[in-house]
Amino acid sequence: MSRTFVFATAFLGTLIIAQDLRDAQACGTNKAMQRRPVVSRVVLSANPSRILLVGERDTTLEKQLKKAGHKVERAGTVSEAQHRRYDLIIA
């Protein structure tokens, strides 16, 4: 093998590796800062329901159900509910 061939092969190999390292991150780079935030999407329900949430407050669940178009009510116990008829009761 000639020196020119060895040099050309080493040079091309270096270029290929350099292309791969271009996207490398430095030590200590915070990965959380590089990611896009997760977007929570809620699909509107075609058939909104009347839902009763009983017991402890779960505001996340309540907000998600309301965003989906459901009519959500909250009560400490089932007997404290405003209406007598619900499509779903979550205790």
Side-chain angles (χ1 to χ4, degrees), residues 50-63:
R50 183 183 298 254
I51 300 173
L52 175 64
L53 299 176
V54 179
E56 274 186 43
R57 280 187 99 61
D58 185 0
T59 55
T60 305
L61 175 63
E62 188 173 355
K63 287 178 185 177

Side-chain angles (χ1 to χ4, degrees), residues 10-81:
F11 181 72
L12 289 174
T14 305
L15 284 177
I16 292 171
I17 292 172
Q19 287 290 341
D20 289 340
L21 293 178
R22 185 176 51 191
D23 294 330
Q25 300 295 324
C27 293
T29 302
N30 190 351
K31 294 290 184 187
M33 298 302 291
Q34 296 175 355
R35 295 187 186 129
R36 293 182 185 172
V38 177
V39 178
S40 177
R41 293 190 176 107
V42 177
V43 179
L44 283 175
S45 174
N47 300 317
S49 302
R50 183 183 298 254
I51 300 173
L52 175 64
L53 299 176
V54 179
E56 274 186 43
R57 280 187 99 61
D58 185 0
T59 55
T60 305
L61 175 63
E62 188 173 355
K63 287 178 185 177
Q64 295 291 325
L65 290 171
K66 285 183 178 181
K67 281 184 183 179
H70 299 289
K71 295 176 181 123
V72 181
E73 294 179 25
R74 173 158 307 280
T77 62
V78 176
S79 60
E80 295 174 3

